[in-house]
Amino acid sequence: MPSPETSVEGARASDRRHATSMRVQAEAWESTAMHMDDHRPRRRTRPGLGLLACLPAMALVTAAASAALGLLGSPHADAGEPRSKVILNGKLVQVTFNDGDSFRVLAGDMQGAKARLSGYNTLESYGPVHQWGTWTEKELYVMAKMATYHARKGVWECETDGATDTYGRMLVWCPDLAEDLVRRGMAHVLTVGDEPGDPKLVEAQREAIEARRGLWSHGVPDFILTSLHSAEEDSDGSGTYNRLVSTEDGHSVKWKHQNRYVECSKVCHMIHDVDAATIDEVAKALREDSAVATIVEPLDDQALRKVVSDFARFRHVDREVAKDDRDALTRHLQGYAAAGRFGNGQPEPGACMVHIDFKRRFGTGRAACLK
């Protein structure tokens, strides 16, 4: 999400002190970590952090807790505008990284442009809002900050054709930065549709997951919850959804809902445990259900079983079904669930996120749980 700017000099001074403290802490960690520079792309970049990929889990948690004390007090991490450089469309330009996947251009022909780096995602850095596995929100907040710091250290080659996202940010592709962050477990692969992520990034993420680096050190959810939208945010009547991103290949799913979230409430993507026999039974019933015959007919038995299995576990219909038919099939399967066709076991939380309205994420009016 784009970060609002501040002109409060006191905040700038505080954040400059914070940035110095974070840099000193990170460099101290880096000096004790094993380096991972073999097999890693490093075109025109300086050596980065090996910390998150290498420290044992207990050392990482200890370091994260220590760093959190310094990180959480800053009202706005970008107020001091730390300056970095990237090679953008062949030209060296000065930028400031807002977090590990976005920056603002500070000089040149594109001065003032806000950029969203495509192909991957880093966790939100405005506060401790993400949680899964045995991670705490504060520990994953430190992870987000470390991704930002790592992006600021390099000189990365990037390119753009000027296309923008829904927030008006210029979409930029920085392949070396994307692969480096993903391979270190500082970021995860992301697309905003059904298509899987870039094959190199998907492979880098699989390697990071197998090695339990960074984000994956204390659990690997099936989907990461990357954004929350409360029902009152639906200003045009198009519906409300939260974004879920597959950790298998980076594709996205829109978790549609009509829920209103209270500020600072934790929302979790719930995972249901359903046995194979139940899935087979529901798949057979769905095949014979005339109400959804036109939706189900194009699916072979394997695809239909996956649709049923995904809904049984995650309560959403994925890309095996045509986009125009997903809502209708979801509603129909929700009727199956309400009737107890999938069993009545208690679900367990997967990835969670704390809801904070965008207007309450920065400045003096920040939500209480971010202070």
Side-chain angles (χ1 to χ4, degrees):
M1 300 290 288
S3 300
E5 300 174 4
T6 177
S7 60
V8 181
E9 188 57 35
R12 290 181 182 274
S14 173
D15 283 326
R16 282 193 292 269
R17 291 193 297 271
H18 156 67
T20 300
S21 174
M22 187 172 76
R23 183 176 64 252
V24 170
Q25 179 72 68
E27 289 175 349
W29 292 347
E30 184 176 11
S31 69
T32 64
M34 292 163 31
H35 292 284
M36 297 177 53
D37 293 325
D38 55 324
H39 69 262
R40 181 173 297 113
R42 269 306 185 189
R43 189 172 46 175
R44 299 196 189 182
T45 65
R46 296 194 297 271
L49 296 178
L51 164 70
L52 298 181
C54 312
L55 284 179
M58 185 59 70
L60 177 59
V61 172
T62 301
S66 174
L69 296 176
L71 293 175
L72 299 180
S74 175
H76 189 257
D78 300 321
E81 292 191 344
R83 300 189 172 215
S84 304
K85 292 181 180 179
V86 301
I87 301 170
L88 184 57
N89 288 352
K91 295 182 179 180
L92 189 67
V93 297
Q94 196 171 63
V95 303
T96 181
F97 277 90
N98 307 314
D99 50 40
D101 58 30
S102 63
F103 62 71
R104 184 162 54 85
V105 181
L106 298 178
D109 297 340
M110 298 181 184
Q111 182 175 0
K114 295 179 180 180
R116 174 58 165 94
L117 309 191
S118 59
Y120 73 99
N121 182 63
T122 56
L123 301 185
E124 296 287 3
S125 60
Y126 58 80
V129 297
H130 292 280
Q131 190 273 320
W132 66 75
T134 58
W135 287 114
T136 68
E137 290 90 343
K138 289 184 179 180
E139 289 166 351
L140 284 177
Y141 179 33
V142 172
M143 285 286 197
K145 290 295 188 182
M146 294 304 292
T148 305
Y149 176 69
H150 185 67
R152 288 172 179 170
K153 287 188 68 177
V155 179
W156 312 98
E157 292 192 36
C158 308
E159 57 186 35
T160 182
D161 61 4
T164 58
D165 67 4
T166 54
Y167 298 103
R169 297 175 299 183
M170 176 174 62
L171 292 172
V172 176
W173 172 234
C174 304
D176 289 354
L177 174 57
E179 185 174 348
D180 199 31
L181 286 173
V182 170
R183 194 177 298 279
R184 292 169 182 271
M186 292 183 178
H188 64 92
V189 185
L190 164 71
T191 71
V192 292
D194 293 344
E195 69 280 2
D198 180 274
K200 287 186 178 180
L201 297 187
V202 172
E203 181 56 35
Q205 180 159 300
R206 286 175 183 161
E207 180 189 313
I209 288 174
E210 288 177 3
R212 291 296 189 263
R213 296 185 195 130
L215 298 173
W216 321 117
S217 299
H218 299 292
V220 184
D222 294 283
F223 290 88
I224 292 179
L225 186 54
T226 61
S227 65
L228 291 180
H229 300 283
S230 190
E232 68 271 16
E233 298 176 36
D234 179 20
S235 58
D236 59 5
S238 59
T240 307
Y241 70 90
N242 304 325
R243 186 174 297 281
L244 296 165
V245 180
S246 167
T247 57
E248 180 181 3
D249 66 4
H251 81 276
S252 293
V253 174
K254 290 183 177 180
W255 168 10
K256 296 185 178 180
H257 66 88
Q258 297 178 333
N259 300 322
R260 289 179 177 268
Y261 300 135
V262 176
E263 182 171 276
C264 292
S265 61
K266 180 187 286 189
V267 177
C268 294
H269 180 223
M270 305 302 290
I271 312 300
H272 301 254
D273 185 16
V274 181
D275 62 72
T278 298
I279 291 171
D280 290 338
E281 180 181 330
V282 172
K284 181 180 179 181
L286 202 62
R287 178 70 77 187
E288 299 170 353
D289 193 332
S290 60
V292 290
T294 57
I295 299 174
V296 170
E297 193 276 332
L299 304 174
D300 62 27
D301 289 345
Q302 182 178 358
L304 179 59
R305 192 181 189 284
K306 186 177 188 307
V307 168
V308 173
S309 177
D310 284 350
F311 182 86
R313 295 190 65 216
F314 309 126
R315 294 302 193 262
H316 66 242
V317 174
D318 210 334
R319 55 191 172 182
E320 287 75 22
V321 175
K323 284 185 177 180
D324 291 343
D325 293 330
R326 289 176 197 172
D327 289 350
L329 186 57
T330 296
R331 288 191 296 269
H332 197 71
L333 287 171
Q334 285 171 343
Y336 275 40
R341 300 287 290 272
F342 294 101
N344 298 304
Q346 292 299 310
E348 297 289 335
C352 304
M353 195 170 177
V354 176
H355 174 65
I356 309 292
D357 183 89
F358 179 74
K359 297 176 183 178
R360 297 271 290 162
R361 295 178 184 177
F362 304 98
T364 56
R366 298 172 83 218
C369 56
L370 299 182
K371 297 178 181 178

